[in-house]
Amino acid sequence: MPRGGKLTIETSRVDIDERCAKTQIGVQPGSYVLLAVTDTGIGMEAETLKHIFEPFFTTKEQGKGTGLGLSTVYGIVKQSGGNIWLL
């Protein structure tokens, strides 16, 4: 958040039923742990969101980031049988 803001991290237990599971690709009904990360930053453009989990994708200038952070998170979550999406 280049202009500052508030970062919030929340956890909870959620039960996903058949109806809710059908709204997300690859989600099965059941009990899950939810980890929600939100911020009050300026947001991202639609084009950036399309690439957010791609390896080596970064919005930072050359030499300031590898672009591996969110792609690594995505891989760990999926390999653990979890799901990840942006709202």
Side-chain angles (χ1 to χ4, degrees):
M1 293 181 282
R3 297 183 190 143
K6 180 180 176 183
L7 178 70
T8 303
I9 302 172
E10 302 171 278
T11 60
S12 64
R13 182 181 172 272
V14 295
D15 293 310
I16 296 182
D17 61 18
E18 291 274 345
R19 182 182 57 81
C20 184
K22 289 179 182 179
T23 67
Q24 297 293 332
I25 297 171
V27 176
Q28 299 297 315
S31 295
Y32 291 87
V33 173
L34 171 69
L35 173 64
V37 180
T38 57
D39 67 54
T40 60
I42 59 175
M44 293 183 215
E45 297 174 354
E47 189 60 29
T48 299
L49 291 174
K50 288 180 187 178
H51 303 283
I52 200 76
F53 294 122
E54 293 177 7
F56 307 109
F57 177 77
T58 183
T59 58
K60 296 177 183 170
E61 63 187 74
Q62 183 111 15
K64 295 291 183 178
T66 62
L68 291 173
L70 286 177
S71 65
T72 300
V73 169
Y74 183 89
I76 291 168
V77 168
K78 297 307 282 184
Q79 287 177 353
S80 300
N83 298 283
I84 185 168
W85 60 82
L86 300 171
L87 300 176

